[in-house]
Amino acid sequence: MAYTVPKLKDFSAAALEKAAAKLLAALEQETAAVSNESAWKDLRDRWMARKNGVLTQVNDLWLKAAPKDAKRDVGQQVNELKKRVEQAIEAAQQDPKNAGSSSRLETDRLDITLPGIQRPIGAEHPVVKTMNEIVSVFRNLGYSVQEGPVIETDYYNFEALNFPPNHPARDAQDTLFIANQESKPQPERLLLRTHTSPVQIRTMEKIKPPIRIVIPGKVHRNDPPDASHSPMFHQIEGLAVDTNITFGDLKGTLDHAMKALFGSSVKTHFRPSFFPFTEPSAEMMVSCFICGGSGKRGSQPCRPCKSTGWIEILGCGMVDPNVFEFVKDNGYDPRKVSGFAFGMGADRVALLKYGVDDIQLFFQGDVRFLRQFA
Ligand SMILES: [Zn+2]
Protein backbone atom coordinates (compact mmCIF):
# COMPACT_ATOMS: atom_id res chain seq x y z
CA MET A 1 0.00 0.00 0.00
CA ALA A 2 1.53 3.27 -1.13
CA TYR A 3 2.32 5.92 1.39
CA THR A 4 -0.14 8.80 1.81
CA VAL A 5 0.54 11.95 3.79
CA PRO A 6 -1.67 11.93 6.88
CA LYS A 7 -3.41 14.99 8.30
CA LEU A 8 -1.89 15.89 11.64
CA LYS A 9 -3.98 16.66 14.70
CA ASP A 10 -1.13 16.75 17.12
CA PHE A 11 1.67 19.17 16.25
CA SER A 12 3.87 18.34 19.22
CA ALA A 13 7.55 17.54 18.64
CA ALA A 14 7.04 13.87 19.42
CA ALA A 15 4.09 13.49 17.05
CA LEU A 16 6.02 15.30 14.28
CA GLU A 17 9.00 13.02 14.84
CA LYS A 18 6.82 9.97 14.44
CA ALA A 19 5.14 11.21 11.27
CA ALA A 20 8.53 12.10 9.76
CA ALA A 21 9.93 8.66 10.57
CA LYS A 22 6.95 7.02 8.83
CA LEU A 23 7.46 9.15 5.77
CA LEU A 24 11.19 8.35 5.59
CA ALA A 25 10.56 4.63 6.02
CA ALA A 26 8.10 4.74 3.13
CA LEU A 27 10.62 6.69 1.04
CA GLU A 28 13.30 4.10 1.70
CA GLN A 29 10.99 1.28 0.73
CA GLU A 30 9.86 2.97 -2.49
CA THR A 31 13.36 3.95 -3.67
CA ALA A 32 14.59 0.42 -3.02
CA ALA A 33 11.80 -0.94 -5.20
CA VAL A 34 12.75 1.15 -8.20
CA SER A 35 14.53 -0.95 -10.83
CA ASN A 36 14.62 0.99 -14.05
CA GLU A 37 14.62 4.48 -15.47
CA SER A 38 10.88 4.85 -15.99
CA ALA A 39 10.14 3.61 -12.48
CA TRP A 40 12.62 6.15 -11.16
CA LYS A 41 10.83 8.92 -13.07
CA ASP A 42 7.51 7.82 -11.55
CA LEU A 43 9.08 7.88 -8.10
CA ARG A 44 10.49 11.36 -8.70
CA ASP A 45 7.12 12.66 -9.87
CA ARG A 46 5.23 11.03 -7.01
CA TRP A 47 7.46 12.61 -4.40
CA MET A 48 8.55 15.87 -5.94
CA ALA A 49 5.89 16.98 -8.44
CA ARG A 50 4.86 20.54 -7.73
CA LYS A 51 1.27 19.60 -8.04
CA ASN A 52 0.22 16.99 -5.47
CA GLY A 53 3.66 15.46 -4.94
CA VAL A 54 4.31 14.08 -1.44
CA LEU A 55 6.44 17.10 -0.56
CA THR A 56 3.73 19.50 -1.67
CA GLN A 57 1.21 17.63 0.45
CA VAL A 58 3.53 17.77 3.44
CA ASN A 59 3.73 21.47 2.93
CA ASP A 60 -0.06 21.83 2.74
CA LEU A 61 -1.18 19.32 5.36
CA TRP A 62 1.56 19.82 7.94
CA LEU A 63 3.13 23.27 7.63
CA LYS A 64 0.16 25.32 6.44
CA ALA A 65 -2.20 23.56 8.85
CA ALA A 66 0.08 24.00 11.85
CA PRO A 67 -1.05 26.38 14.62
CA LYS A 68 0.90 29.61 14.89
CA ASP A 69 3.03 28.61 17.88
CA ALA A 70 4.13 25.31 16.25
CA LYS A 71 4.94 26.80 12.78
CA ARG A 72 8.62 27.31 13.53
CA ASP A 73 9.28 23.72 14.58
CA VAL A 74 7.10 22.24 11.85
CA GLY A 75 8.89 24.43 9.29
CA GLN A 76 12.29 23.10 10.38
CA GLN A 77 11.07 19.51 10.26
CA VAL A 78 9.53 19.98 6.79
CA ASN A 79 12.73 21.56 5.43
CA GLU A 80 14.76 18.67 6.76
CA LEU A 81 12.39 16.18 5.13
CA LYS A 82 12.62 18.03 1.82
CA LYS A 83 16.39 17.73 1.85
CA ARG A 84 16.27 14.02 2.71
CA VAL A 85 13.74 13.26 -0.02
CA GLU A 86 15.71 15.14 -2.67
CA GLN A 87 18.93 13.36 -1.67
CA ALA A 88 17.32 9.95 -1.69
CA ILE A 89 15.75 10.44 -5.10
CA GLU A 90 18.97 11.79 -6.57
CA ALA A 91 20.87 8.83 -5.15
CA ALA A 92 18.36 6.48 -6.73
CA GLN A 93 19.02 8.12 -10.09
CA GLN A 94 22.77 7.47 -9.80
CA ASP A 95 22.06 3.79 -9.31
CA PRO A 96 23.21 2.18 -12.59
CA LYS A 97 20.08 0.06 -12.89
CA ASN A 98 17.97 3.23 -13.02
CA ALA A 99 20.32 5.13 -15.27
CA GLY A 100 18.68 4.68 -18.65
CA SER A 101 19.84 6.39 -21.83
CA SER A 102 19.91 9.89 -20.45
CA SER A 103 22.55 9.18 -17.84
CA ARG A 104 25.95 10.76 -18.24
CA LEU A 105 27.59 7.38 -18.29
CA GLU A 106 25.63 6.48 -21.41
CA THR A 107 25.85 9.77 -23.31
CA ASP A 108 29.55 10.29 -22.63
CA ARG A 109 30.43 6.86 -23.84
CA LEU A 110 33.25 6.95 -26.37
CA ASP A 111 33.49 4.30 -29.05
CA ILE A 112 37.15 4.40 -29.97
CA THR A 113 36.59 1.97 -32.83
CA LEU A 114 34.55 4.52 -34.85
CA PRO A 115 36.37 6.36 -37.65
CA GLY A 116 37.46 9.88 -36.66
CA ILE A 117 35.88 13.10 -37.93
CA GLN A 118 37.66 14.25 -41.06
CA ARG A 119 38.31 17.96 -41.19
CA PRO A 120 39.36 18.84 -44.72
CA ILE A 121 42.36 21.13 -44.75
CA GLY A 122 42.01 24.06 -47.16
CA ALA A 123 44.63 24.83 -49.77
CA GLU A 124 45.86 27.97 -51.47
CA HIS A 125 43.85 29.08 -54.46
CA PRO A 126 45.97 28.80 -57.62
CA VAL A 127 45.89 32.59 -58.09
CA VAL A 128 46.92 33.22 -54.48
CA LYS A 129 49.61 30.59 -54.81
CA THR A 130 50.96 32.29 -57.93
CA MET A 131 50.89 35.69 -56.24
CA ASN A 132 52.78 34.32 -53.26
CA GLU A 133 55.39 32.82 -55.57
CA ILE A 134 55.88 36.09 -57.41
CA VAL A 135 56.03 38.03 -54.15
CA SER A 136 58.62 35.65 -52.71
CA VAL A 137 60.89 36.12 -55.74
CA PHE A 138 60.94 39.86 -55.05
CA ARG A 139 61.17 39.42 -51.30
CA ASN A 140 64.41 37.56 -51.92
CA LEU A 141 65.64 40.65 -53.75
CA GLY A 142 64.91 42.79 -50.70
CA TYR A 143 61.48 44.08 -51.70
CA SER A 144 58.77 44.54 -49.08
CA VAL A 145 55.02 44.06 -49.55
CA GLN A 146 52.59 46.98 -49.54
CA GLU A 147 48.82 46.95 -49.84
CA GLY A 148 46.12 49.56 -50.26
CA PRO A 149 42.34 50.05 -50.49
CA VAL A 150 40.34 48.45 -53.31
CA ILE A 151 37.95 51.42 -53.31
CA GLU A 152 40.09 54.34 -54.38
CA THR A 153 39.73 58.00 -55.15
CA ASP A 154 40.12 59.35 -58.66
CA TYR A 155 43.19 61.21 -57.37
CA TYR A 156 45.19 58.10 -56.46
CA ASN A 157 43.89 55.91 -59.26
CA PHE A 158 44.39 58.42 -62.09
CA GLU A 159 45.45 61.98 -61.33
CA ALA A 160 48.59 61.31 -59.28
CA LEU A 161 49.61 58.69 -61.83
CA ASN A 162 49.76 61.26 -64.59
CA PHE A 163 46.56 60.22 -66.40
CA PRO A 164 45.37 63.32 -68.28
CA PRO A 165 41.75 64.33 -67.48
CA ASN A 166 40.33 62.87 -70.68
CA HIS A 167 42.39 59.71 -70.79
CA PRO A 168 40.25 56.86 -72.14
CA ALA A 169 40.88 54.75 -69.00
CA ARG A 170 38.79 57.26 -67.04
CA ASP A 171 35.83 56.44 -69.22
CA ALA A 172 33.03 54.64 -67.45
CA GLN A 173 33.34 51.99 -70.12
CA ASP A 174 36.57 50.82 -68.51
CA THR A 175 36.24 51.91 -64.92
CA LEU A 176 33.62 50.92 -62.34
CA PHE A 177 32.70 54.11 -60.48
CA ILE A 178 30.88 54.21 -57.16
CA ALA A 179 27.38 55.69 -57.66
CA ASN A 180 26.25 59.17 -56.55
CA GLN A 181 29.67 60.81 -56.42
CA GLU A 182 28.84 63.60 -58.88
CA SER A 183 28.56 66.27 -56.19
CA LYS A 184 32.17 65.73 -55.13
CA PRO A 185 35.10 67.36 -56.87
CA GLN A 186 36.66 65.01 -59.43
CA PRO A 187 39.79 64.01 -57.41
CA GLU A 188 37.66 62.83 -54.46
CA ARG A 189 35.21 60.67 -56.41
CA LEU A 190 35.36 56.99 -55.51
CA LEU A 191 35.90 54.09 -57.86
CA LEU A 192 37.06 50.50 -57.79
CA ARG A 193 40.78 50.72 -58.45
CA THR A 194 41.65 49.66 -61.99
CA HIS A 195 45.25 48.79 -61.11
CA THR A 196 47.37 48.43 -57.98
CA SER A 197 49.39 51.52 -58.97
CA PRO A 198 47.64 53.86 -56.47
CA VAL A 199 49.56 51.99 -53.75
CA GLN A 200 52.79 53.28 -55.33
CA ILE A 201 51.74 56.87 -54.61
CA ARG A 202 50.33 55.99 -51.18
CA THR A 203 53.62 54.32 -50.25
CA MET A 204 55.77 57.18 -51.54
CA GLU A 205 53.67 59.56 -49.43
CA LYS A 206 54.47 57.46 -46.34
CA ILE A 207 58.03 56.24 -46.88
CA LYS A 208 61.00 58.31 -48.01
CA PRO A 209 63.31 56.97 -50.72
CA PRO A 210 64.99 54.59 -51.27
CA ILE A 211 62.11 52.09 -51.56
CA ARG A 212 61.66 48.68 -53.11
CA ILE A 213 58.13 47.36 -52.89
CA VAL A 214 55.80 44.81 -54.44
CA ILE A 215 52.05 45.35 -54.39
CA PRO A 216 49.80 42.32 -54.80
CA GLY A 217 46.06 42.96 -54.94
CA LYS A 218 42.61 42.80 -56.42
CA VAL A 219 41.55 45.22 -59.16
CA HIS A 220 38.33 45.79 -61.13
CA ARG A 221 37.50 46.81 -64.67
CA ASN A 222 34.27 47.03 -66.55
CA ASP A 223 35.05 44.00 -68.70
CA PRO A 224 32.36 41.45 -69.52
CA PRO A 225 33.53 38.03 -68.36
CA ASP A 226 34.93 35.68 -71.00
CA ALA A 227 37.73 33.12 -71.22
CA SER A 228 40.45 35.74 -70.81
CA HIS A 229 38.64 38.64 -69.07
CA SER A 230 37.05 39.05 -65.68
CA PRO A 231 35.63 42.20 -64.10
CA MET A 232 37.74 41.32 -61.06
CA PHE A 233 41.32 40.16 -61.37
CA HIS A 234 44.67 40.37 -59.60
CA GLN A 235 47.79 42.37 -60.23
CA ILE A 236 51.24 42.47 -58.83
CA GLU A 237 53.17 45.65 -59.24
CA GLY A 238 56.64 46.57 -58.22
CA LEU A 239 58.41 49.85 -57.64
CA ALA A 240 62.05 50.65 -56.95
CA VAL A 241 63.17 54.22 -56.30
CA ASP A 242 66.67 55.31 -55.40
CA THR A 243 69.42 57.52 -56.76
CA ASN A 244 70.87 56.36 -60.07
CA ILE A 245 68.32 53.67 -60.91
CA THR A 246 68.58 52.96 -64.61
CA PHE A 247 66.75 50.98 -67.26
CA GLY A 248 69.59 48.45 -66.90
CA ASP A 249 68.46 47.81 -63.30
CA LEU A 250 64.91 47.27 -64.52
CA LYS A 251 66.01 44.77 -67.17
CA GLY A 252 68.34 42.91 -64.82
CA THR A 253 65.76 42.67 -62.05
CA LEU A 254 62.92 41.48 -64.27
CA ASP A 255 65.11 39.04 -66.19
CA HIS A 256 66.18 37.48 -62.90
CA ALA A 257 62.57 37.37 -61.65
CA MET A 258 61.31 35.61 -64.81
CA LYS A 259 64.07 33.01 -64.59
CA ALA A 260 63.20 32.41 -60.94
CA LEU A 261 59.51 32.02 -61.82
CA PHE A 262 59.58 30.09 -65.08
CA GLY A 263 62.97 28.39 -65.14
CA SER A 264 66.53 29.47 -65.81
CA SER A 265 66.30 28.86 -69.55
CA VAL A 266 63.65 31.53 -70.29
CA LYS A 267 64.79 34.59 -72.21
CA THR A 268 63.31 38.05 -71.88
CA HIS A 269 62.68 40.61 -74.56
CA PHE A 270 61.56 44.25 -74.24
CA ARG A 271 59.38 46.09 -76.73
CA PRO A 272 58.65 49.84 -76.55
CA SER A 273 55.20 50.69 -75.22
CA PHE A 274 53.27 53.51 -73.56
CA PHE A 275 51.90 53.99 -70.05
CA PRO A 276 50.99 57.39 -68.60
CA PHE A 277 53.04 56.88 -65.44
CA THR A 278 56.32 55.59 -66.94
CA GLU A 279 58.70 57.06 -69.50
CA PRO A 280 60.18 55.27 -71.33
CA SER A 281 57.80 52.32 -71.13
CA ALA A 282 58.12 48.77 -72.35
CA GLU A 283 56.27 45.52 -72.63
CA MET A 284 58.28 42.58 -71.55
CA MET A 285 58.00 39.22 -73.29
CA VAL A 286 59.37 35.92 -72.02
CA SER A 287 60.31 33.09 -74.33
CA CYS A 288 57.44 30.60 -74.26
CA PHE A 289 58.11 28.17 -71.44
CA ILE A 290 55.53 25.76 -72.85
CA CYS A 291 57.07 25.19 -76.30
CA GLY A 292 60.57 26.33 -75.34
CA GLY A 293 60.32 29.24 -77.79
CA SER A 294 59.84 27.11 -80.90
CA GLY A 295 56.19 28.09 -81.39
CA LYS A 296 55.27 24.44 -81.90
CA ARG A 297 54.27 21.51 -79.76
CA GLY A 298 55.18 18.52 -81.85
CA SER A 299 53.47 19.16 -85.15
CA GLN A 300 50.76 21.35 -83.53
CA PRO A 301 50.98 25.13 -83.17
CA CYS A 302 51.58 26.31 -79.58
CA ARG A 303 48.43 28.06 -78.41
CA PRO A 304 49.65 29.99 -75.33
CA CYS A 305 52.24 31.90 -77.39
CA LYS A 306 50.14 31.86 -80.58
CA SER A 307 53.07 30.14 -82.33
CA THR A 308 55.32 33.16 -81.88
CA GLY A 309 57.58 31.59 -79.25
CA TRP A 310 57.05 34.64 -76.99
CA ILE A 311 54.53 35.44 -74.29
CA GLU A 312 53.74 39.00 -73.29
CA ILE A 313 53.94 38.96 -69.52
CA LEU A 314 54.19 42.46 -68.06
CA GLY A 315 54.35 46.20 -68.56
CA CYS A 316 57.17 48.25 -67.14
CA GLY A 317 59.16 51.43 -67.44
CA MET A 318 61.05 54.20 -65.72
CA VAL A 319 58.83 56.21 -63.35
CA ASP A 320 57.72 59.39 -65.13
CA PRO A 321 59.21 62.48 -63.37
CA ASN A 322 55.67 63.96 -63.38
CA VAL A 323 54.62 61.20 -60.95
CA PHE A 324 57.45 62.12 -58.56
CA GLU A 325 56.17 65.72 -58.61
CA PHE A 326 53.10 64.54 -56.62
CA VAL A 327 55.30 63.22 -53.78
CA LYS A 328 58.17 65.68 -54.16
CA ASP A 329 57.70 66.95 -50.57
CA ASN A 330 58.53 63.50 -49.17
CA GLY A 331 61.99 63.39 -50.71
CA TYR A 332 61.10 62.32 -54.24
CA ASP A 333 62.76 65.18 -56.08
CA PRO A 334 62.70 64.10 -59.74
CA ARG A 335 66.08 65.73 -60.25
CA LYS A 336 67.63 63.53 -57.55
CA VAL A 337 65.81 60.19 -57.62
CA SER A 338 64.85 57.82 -60.38
CA GLY A 339 63.03 54.52 -60.35
CA PHE A 340 61.34 51.81 -62.29
CA ALA A 341 57.93 50.21 -62.00
CA PHE A 342 56.35 47.10 -63.42
CA GLY A 343 53.02 45.34 -63.25
CA MET A 344 51.63 41.99 -64.28
CA GLY A 345 48.35 40.14 -64.11
CA ALA A 346 48.65 37.38 -61.53
CA ASP A 347 45.67 35.49 -62.98
CA ARG A 348 47.27 35.48 -66.41
CA VAL A 349 50.50 34.10 -65.00
CA ALA A 350 48.48 31.42 -63.18
CA LEU A 351 46.62 30.55 -66.41
CA LEU A 352 49.92 30.07 -68.23
CA LYS A 353 51.64 28.26 -65.40
CA TYR A 354 48.87 25.70 -64.89
CA GLY A 355 47.76 25.45 -68.51
CA VAL A 356 44.21 26.60 -67.70
CA ASP A 357 42.36 28.01 -70.71
CA ASP A 358 39.48 29.89 -69.04
CA ILE A 359 40.00 32.55 -66.35
CA GLN A 360 36.39 32.11 -65.19
CA LEU A 361 37.31 28.72 -63.73
CA PHE A 362 39.41 30.51 -61.13
CA PHE A 363 36.45 32.43 -59.74
CA GLN A 364 33.54 29.98 -59.96
CA GLY A 365 34.49 28.31 -56.71
CA ASP A 366 34.10 24.78 -58.05
CA VAL A 367 35.96 22.62 -55.55
CA ARG A 368 36.44 19.85 -58.13
CA PHE A 369 38.47 22.30 -60.24
CA LEU A 370 40.35 23.92 -57.37
CA ARG A 371 41.25 20.60 -55.73
CA GLN A 372 43.60 19.86 -58.62
CA PHE A 373 45.98 22.58 -57.43
CA ALA A 374 45.98 21.66 -53.75
ZN1 LIG B 1 54.72 28.51 -77.08
Side-chain angles (χ1 to χ4, degrees):
M1 173 92 183
Y3 173 77
T4 50
V5 182
K7 282 187 181 166
L8 293 185
K9 283 177 196 131
D10 180 0
F11 286 92
S12 70
L16 265 177
E17 202 64 42
K18 217 172 131 192
K22 256 192 189 162
L23 182 144
L24 289 172
L27 175 67
E28 202 183 318
Q29 225 175 35
E30 288 189 30
T31 49
V34 165
S35 61
N36 58 45
E37 193 197 6
S38 89
W40 174 80
K41 280 183 177 162
D42 290 344
L43 175 83
R44 178 196 59 192
D45 294 345
R46 185 171 132 64
W47 284 79
M48 303 199 342
R50 215 166 266 269
K51 201 177 162 191
N52 245 357
V54 171
L55 286 179
T56 306
Q57 289 181 48
V58 166
N59 210 51
D60 292 344
L61 299 178
W62 295 2
L63 183 58
K64 283 186 186 163
K68 252 190 192 151
D69 57 343
K71 273 233 178 352
R72 212 182 112 106
D73 292 340
V74 179
Q76 266 175 9
Q77 186 68 260
V78 168
N79 279 340
E80 179 64 21
L81 281 174
K82 225 181 232 173
K83 228 189 283 166
R84 300 273 298 264
V85 169
E86 279 165 5
Q87 278 169 0
I89 286 179
E90 202 179 316
Q93 186 190 21
Q94 300 302 323
D95 191 324
K97 70 181 192 295
N98 305 332
S101 59
S102 64
S103 82
R104 285 196 55 189
L105 198 67
E106 187 66 19
T107 50
D108 288 358
R109 205 165 65 121
L110 178 70
D111 184 349
I112 55 166
T113 64
L114 286 173
I117 299 162
Q118 263 204 350
R119 298 187 197 282
I121 296 169
E124 273 178 332
H125 188 279
V127 172
V128 173
K129 203 166 167 176
T130 304
M131 290 215 281
N132 286 343
E133 278 168 22
I134 300 171
V135 164
S136 83
V137 167
F138 286 96
R139 262 188 197 279
N140 290 342
L141 292 171
Y143 284 64
S144 62
V145 175
Q146 292 288 331
E147 287 177 305
V150 175
I151 297 175
E152 260 302 355
T153 60
D154 183 282
Y155 174 80
Y156 285 107
N157 197 73
F158 292 128
E159 192 176 327
L161 290 164
N162 206 31
F163 280 82
N166 36 20
H167 190 280
R170 290 185 166 206
D171 193 332
Q173 283 183 349
D174 290 314
T175 304
L176 294 162
F177 290 90
I178 305 291
N180 306 320
Q181 300 282 305
E182 291 76 12
S183 60
K184 290 184 184 170
Q186 173 104 356
E188 288 170 30
R189 290 184 196 171
L190 298 174
L191 46 85
L192 294 177
R193 69 178 180 191
T194 58
H195 44 196
T196 43
S197 314
V199 186
Q200 295 191 16
I201 297 292
R202 287 181 176 277
T203 307
M204 287 193 283
E205 284 179 346
K206 275 189 317 209
I207 304 171
K208 291 191 191 314
I211 56 164
R212 281 163 181 75
I213 55 167
V214 273
I215 306 153
K218 202 177 276 182
V219 301
H220 293 80
R221 289 195 197 160
N222 191 12
D223 280 328
D226 63 26
S228 48
H229 294 87
S230 164
M232 186 281 299
F233 56 103
H234 300 81
Q235 278 192 339
I236 293 198
E237 288 198 16
L239 171 71
V241 182
D242 204 338
T243 49
N244 298 320
I245 296 245
T246 68
F247 204 89
D249 296 313
L250 181 158
K251 288 178 81 172
T253 303
L254 293 180
D255 187 72
H256 167 83
M258 293 306 119
K259 287 182 162 66
L261 278 173
F262 302 116
S264 56
S265 62
V266 299
K267 297 191 200 82
T268 52
H269 170 73
F270 292 80
R271 193 166 68 182
S273 183
F274 173 80
F275 303 107
F277 39 94
T278 47
E279 179 60 35
S281 305
E283 264 161 20
M284 192 183 73
M285 333 271 282
V286 291
S287 57
C288 179
F289 43 83
I290 291 145
C291 64
S294 68
K296 282 197 192 116
R297 297 172 85 179
S299 58
Q300 299 290 311
C302 177
R303 271 179 57 200
C305 66
K306 300 187 184 95
S307 302
T308 62
W310 293 95
I311 292 172
E312 197 189 303
I313 201 92
L314 58 75
C316 57
M318 302 305 289
V319 179
D320 193 306
N322 288 342
V323 171
F324 286 138
E325 289 288 341
F326 287 94
V327 284
K328 202 167 150 187
D329 295 343
N330 200 28
Y332 293 86
D333 183 342
R335 286 165 307 178
K336 289 181 186 154
V337 295
S338 57
F340 64 80
F342 57 88
M344 64 188 115
D347 320 80
R348 205 175 115 70
V349 175
L351 288 175
L352 290 166
K353 228 173 116 84
Y354 296 111
V356 176
D357 53 14
D358 186 346
I359 194 174
Q360 299 304 321
L361 288 165
F362 283 148
F363 307 128
Q364 284 163 349
D366 187 334
V367 177
R368 291 167 303 176
F369 169 76
L370 296 172
R371 199 175 272 148
Q372 300 173 75
F373 308 96

